Amino acid sequence: MATNVEETYLYSSPTTFKVSSKDGEIFDIDDSFINQSKTIKNMLNVLDIADNHMPIPLQNIKGTMLNAAIVFCKYHKNDLLSIPDDEDEDDFERDAYEPRRSDDISEWDKEFIKQFTVEEGTLFDIIMAANYLDIKALLAVGCKTIANMVRGKNSDQVRQMFNISYDPPGEGLNTPRNSVTSKESGDNQLLTTQEKESRCKTPSPELMYD
Amino acid sequence: MAMSVNDDSSEQPYCFDNFSLQQMDKSSYYQHMTEHKMDSGYLTFSSLSSSYISLQHFSSPTHSLLMQQPSDIPIDNERDLTEDSIQNIRFSSHEDYENYIKTKKYIDIFTRLSQHNAFHLIDKILTNLPVNDIKHCLCVSRNWYKIIGKYYWKQKEHKQLANVKRNLFSCERKSVYEILSQQTPLKQRRPLQQQLQQEHIQHHCLFIPTPVSMNNTTALSSQNHPLRPLTNLPYSSTPAQLTSTALTPIITSINNDQNVDPSNNDNHPFSRLLFSPSSTIVSPRKTYRYEYLKYLHGPTVPKRCPICSYISVVDINDQHGICSNPTCQNNFCYRCSGPYHPLSPCKIKTGPIMSPLKKRQPISPIFSSKTRTNLKRLLLR
């Protein structure tokens, strides 16, 4: 019975909550954002947050991304109720391997996503933020833009676009030069095995992101 | 690392030593980056626009490092951009190389998603793409091949099988007589068959080109034979469903007919029945079996129907099973033991239903022959 009371309290009256991002910035949230993101809806149902002054911490999302998500949800306030979820249907006869349409992006969304570029890694961030917040519309738009970028291009063009080398770092063509290290071979011999391993080790992915 | 060095040197002079970027203050870095565009929080640089390696270098791996564009390389302003200097600057040690990798513009989306274990997002991206684009994506890098390879091969196999199945299901089934009427067999045999048919019809009325002639024989013989009414149904329905049990009344009917026409007693009627070209006499169960074997292509394996536990035939390639029980006639997928779905992957998670006979009975370890031999071996040593 307690959950029902909270739900009625949530949806009947327009309430505002506060959300703090990873960087410490604080944003105000409307009903439009709460209804579209399932995680926050569940959090508010589970947690008893009587005081609106205390911000809810979201440690996985940066401030800029959260601001963008709030802007996106304000624009799509009324649209989401009409769109059905096609992915959850269990049709045995539907051809799952047939490519879906990715031209369904509206003009406002195209201009919205032009802020986020591949080169800076912001597009990846917004997809991960949408995944964390469970905003289906934003996630679909992000995935479709990546698909549109890759569509109709050679492997070489894709490599140029994403700035990828064929071999992973530290292997194949990307191995560090041996000719220069051969001059300093005397120094290398004096090193202990632990230092050598530490130097030769490829950097862990955590270092790349932080 | 290959940021616009000239612009930055006036405002914030960076030194590209080994540990310069690790020791760099993040606050100053953020301030610098927020001036241009939105902040991602990563060590990425906006001014770079060049491929790391192009396809030309695959032919000559020795020159690949020489031919790389100087914008990718950590550069000090003091040194000149000759080839020798580039060699010396580039990767003078492993630490420098590590710095290069860390600060490289890292926008590889699929590997990042896989490192975050976000495979459902990769699924969502790839469902929008056709097969040919995924094929191009395979050739981009080794990491991408590992990630996308699964999806590509699965999709390709399904496409091939789907095409074969569509062709099979689309062809219209015709009865034997329609096919015979449309086909034009060899010219030498055609008149012979016609002659034989005419002879049959004249002498015994045994050969059955149409069910109408069968009904004539039954009408003739039903008066005399007492078993006649039991076997009326298969004759009237279709000639292909002639039962083997119905053979005996035919012979008896022939004997009755011989009394009507006593002129041709020489040839035995049963021999002519075997030579009849078009009509096949098989049991209804067998006809059903041959019908569904048309739909399954390739090698088949006998398995158990999940509903009636009757023996059924399952295709190896597609795991499409059809129950051979004529009352059940269940089309099922053997992988998930649900209803058959030709084009979509399995969504029910109950596995294949194994036969209870395959369970090995637990044998006590003392009396088994293996343990006995092992014990002997151990004791001897």
Side-chain angles (χ1 to χ4, degrees):
Chain A
M1 291 298 289
T3 56
N4 291 325
V5 171
E6 284 178 1
E7 282 175 1
T8 51
Y9 173 70
L10 274 177
Y11 302 128
S12 62
S13 64
T15 54
T16 57
F17 289 93
K18 286 185 177 179
V19 167
S20 68
S21 67
K22 188 180 181 182
D23 304 331
E25 298 179 21
I26 295 167
F27 297 97
D28 291 331
I29 282 175
D30 296 335
D31 278 339
S32 62
F33 188 75
I34 293 163
N35 286 325
Q36 293 195 28
S37 70
K38 285 182 182 176
T39 50
I40 285 174
K41 198 189 276 184
N42 290 324
M43 278 168 78
L44 291 175
N45 284 328
V46 170
L47 302 169
D48 292 330
I49 301 169
D51 296 329
N52 295 333
H53 302 290
M54 282 290 287
I56 303 162
L58 298 172
Q59 291 295 325
N60 292 328
I61 303 166
K62 283 154 197 162
T64 53
M65 299 299 132
L66 219 163
N67 191 12
I70 290 164
V71 171
F72 183 85
C73 288
K74 274 184 185 175
Y75 183 78
H76 290 277
K77 202 184 289 179
N78 300 319
D79 298 348
L80 233 202
L81 300 172
S82 63
I83 297 167
D85 296 332
D86 294 333
E87 298 165 3
D88 296 334
E89 291 179 358
D90 294 327
D91 290 334
F92 286 108
E93 296 177 354
R94 194 179 68 77
D95 195 349
Y97 291 91
E98 204 171 276
R100 287 176 190 161
R101 285 188 67 189
S102 62
D103 304 331
D104 301 336
I105 308 168
S106 64
E107 292 182 358
W108 190 88
D109 292 340
K110 280 179 186 174
E111 289 182 356
F112 174 76
I113 273 198
K114 276 179 186 176
Q115 298 175 2
F116 312 104
T117 53
V118 184
E119 296 169 356
E120 294 180 349
T122 48
L123 208 155
F124 171 78
D125 285 348
I126 244 219
I127 288 170
M128 291 301 284
N131 184 31
Y132 181 75
L133 294 168
D134 274 342
I135 304 171
K136 282 196 174 180
L138 212 165
L139 211 157
V141 169
C143 289
K144 279 173 184 175
T145 45
I146 291 169
N148 284 328
M149 285 195 292
V150 176
R151 176 169 292 172
K153 284 183 180 176
N154 289 329
S155 58
D156 195 11
Q157 290 174 354
V158 171
R159 213 173 288 144
Q160 283 183 4
M161 196 172 65
F162 288 96
N163 193 12
I164 302 162
S165 61
Y166 179 75
D167 294 315
E171 294 175 12
L173 296 172
N174 289 332
T175 47
R177 183 73 55 83
N178 288 322
S179 64
V180 179
T181 54
S182 64
K183 292 175 185 176
E184 299 173 359
S185 60
D187 297 329
N188 286 327
Q189 287 176 1
L190 293 172
L191 290 171
T192 58
T193 54
Q194 291 181 355
E195 284 179 339
K196 272 187 184 178
E197 285 175 2
S198 68
R199 286 188 175 187
C200 294
K201 204 184 285 177
T202 53
S204 61
E206 293 175 0
L207 287 171
M208 289 181 188
Y209 302 134
D210 294 331
Chain B
M1 209 59 177
M3 57 197 297
S4 58
V5 178
N6 293 320
D7 298 334
D8 298 327
S9 61
S10 62
E11 297 173 2
Q12 293 175 347
Y14 289 106
C15 52
F16 289 99
D17 293 334
N18 292 330
F19 296 100
S20 64
L21 285 163
Q22 293 178 0
Q23 294 169 357
M24 192 170 70
D25 290 331
K26 282 191 175 179
S27 60
S28 64
Y29 172 71
Y30 283 128
Q31 286 174 8
H32 169 68
M33 286 304 292
T34 46
E35 290 172 6
H36 294 290
K37 281 181 182 178
M38 292 184 75
D39 181 20
S40 69
Y42 299 142
L43 290 170
T44 54
F45 297 92
S46 62
S47 64
L48 196 142
S49 63
S50 62
S51 64
Y52 180 45
I53 283 176
S54 61
L55 270 175
Q56 298 173 359
H57 307 306
F58 283 99
S59 58
S60 63
T62 56
H63 292 285
S64 64
L65 292 165
L66 289 173
M67 293 290 285
Q68 276 178 359
Q69 295 173 2
S71 63
D72 281 344
I73 297 161
I75 296 162
D76 292 344
N77 285 322
E78 298 171 357
R79 301 186 184 183
D80 296 327
L81 293 172
T82 56
E83 290 185 352
D84 296 330
S85 69
I86 288 165
Q87 281 182 16
N88 289 325
I89 292 161
R90 185 178 178 74
F91 308 145
S92 62
S93 65
H94 284 282
E95 294 166 355
D96 205 354
Y97 170 71
E98 282 179 16
N99 275 326
Y100 167 72
I101 286 171
K102 279 176 200 167
T103 56
K104 192 170 82 72
K105 190 176 66 178
Y106 192 77
I107 49 175
D108 195 351
I109 281 178
F110 283 110
T111 48
R112 258 204 221 171
L113 287 171
S114 67
Q115 281 168 357
H116 281 83
N117 289 323
F119 289 102
H120 61 285
L121 295 178
I122 296 171
D123 264 329
K124 268 194 178 179
I125 292 165
L126 290 177
T127 45
N128 294 318
L129 291 173
V131 183
N132 288 322
D133 286 331
I134 295 170
K135 199 186 207 175
H136 289 302
C137 285
L138 282 182
C139 306
V140 170
S141 70
R142 263 184 220 177
N143 279 324
W144 285 39
Y145 186 84
K146 285 176 193 169
I147 296 158
I148 306 171
K150 286 182 199 168
Y151 298 97
Y152 176 66
W153 294 116
K154 214 186 271 180
Q155 208 174 29
K156 204 177 182 188
E157 283 178 7
H158 254 267
K159 274 278 162 71
Q160 286 175 355
L161 277 174
N163 285 327
V164 173
K165 287 258 168 182
R166 268 172 205 156
N167 290 331
L168 269 173
F169 279 108
S170 65
C171 73
E172 297 172 356
R173 276 194 300 164
K174 292 168 187 174
S175 63
V176 182
Y177 301 107
E178 289 175 2
I179 293 164
L180 280 172
S181 63
Q182 287 180 1
Q183 280 179 353
T184 55
L186 294 171
K187 288 178 182 177
Q188 294 178 355
R189 290 188 182 180
R190 180 79 180 182
L192 274 172
Q193 284 181 356
Q194 285 177 356
Q195 286 175 8
L196 277 169
Q197 287 177 11
Q198 287 171 3
E199 283 179 5
H200 275 287
I201 293 159
Q202 283 173 4
H203 298 305
H204 301 291
C205 301
L206 210 172
F207 177 65
I208 315 136
T210 54
V212 179
S213 66
M214 278 304 300
N215 288 324
N216 290 329
T217 55
T218 51
L220 284 169
S221 59
S222 62
Q223 296 173 358
N224 297 324
H225 206 266
L227 285 172
R228 193 72 273 171
L230 288 173
T231 55
N232 268 329
L233 286 170
Y235 288 101
S236 61
S237 59
T238 47
Q241 286 185 349
L242 281 170
T243 54
S244 59
T245 54
L247 264 173
T248 48
I250 290 169
I251 294 159
T252 50
S253 69
I254 288 159
N255 290 321
N256 290 324
D257 292 334
Q258 279 176 359
N259 295 323
V260 177
D261 295 327
S263 58
N264 296 316
N265 285 324
D266 301 326
N267 297 322
H268 197 268
F270 193 72
S271 62
R272 293 220 177 151
L273 200 147
L274 289 172
F275 283 115
S276 62
S278 61
S279 68
T280 53
I281 296 168
V282 270
S283 64
R285 186 183 285 174
K286 271 194 174 180
T287 51
Y288 173 63
R289 218 169 261 177
Y290 285 120
E291 276 175 7
Y292 68 63
L293 278 173
K294 282 178 194 169
Y295 290 99
L296 301 173
H297 57 90
T300 53
V301 164
K303 297 286 184 189
R304 224 159 253 271
C305 174
I307 290 172
C308 61
S309 75
Y310 202 77
I311 297 162
S312 59
V313 175
V314 174
D315 191 358
I316 284 173
N317 295 322
D318 205 4
Q319 305 290 331
H320 170 207
I322 296 173
C323 185
S324 68
N325 192 1
T327 55
C328 179
Q329 296 190 4
N330 180 25
N331 283 320
F332 63 94
C333 173
Y334 183 67
R335 265 176 211 152
C336 61
S337 70
Y340 178 60
H341 44 91
L343 299 170
S344 58
C346 295
K347 282 174 183 174
I348 301 168
K349 288 187 177 180
T350 55
I353 291 165
M354 307 303 287
S355 68
L357 297 172
K358 277 197 173 182
K359 278 184 185 174
R360 184 179 283 179
Q361 290 180 351
I363 304 164
S364 63
I366 300 161
F367 297 108
S368 66
S369 61
K370 266 190 185 178
T371 51
R372 221 176 268 169
T373 53
N374 282 325
L375 279 170
K376 276 179 189 174
R377 188 166 53 94
L378 287 168
L379 285 169
L380 286 169
R381 285 177 186 176

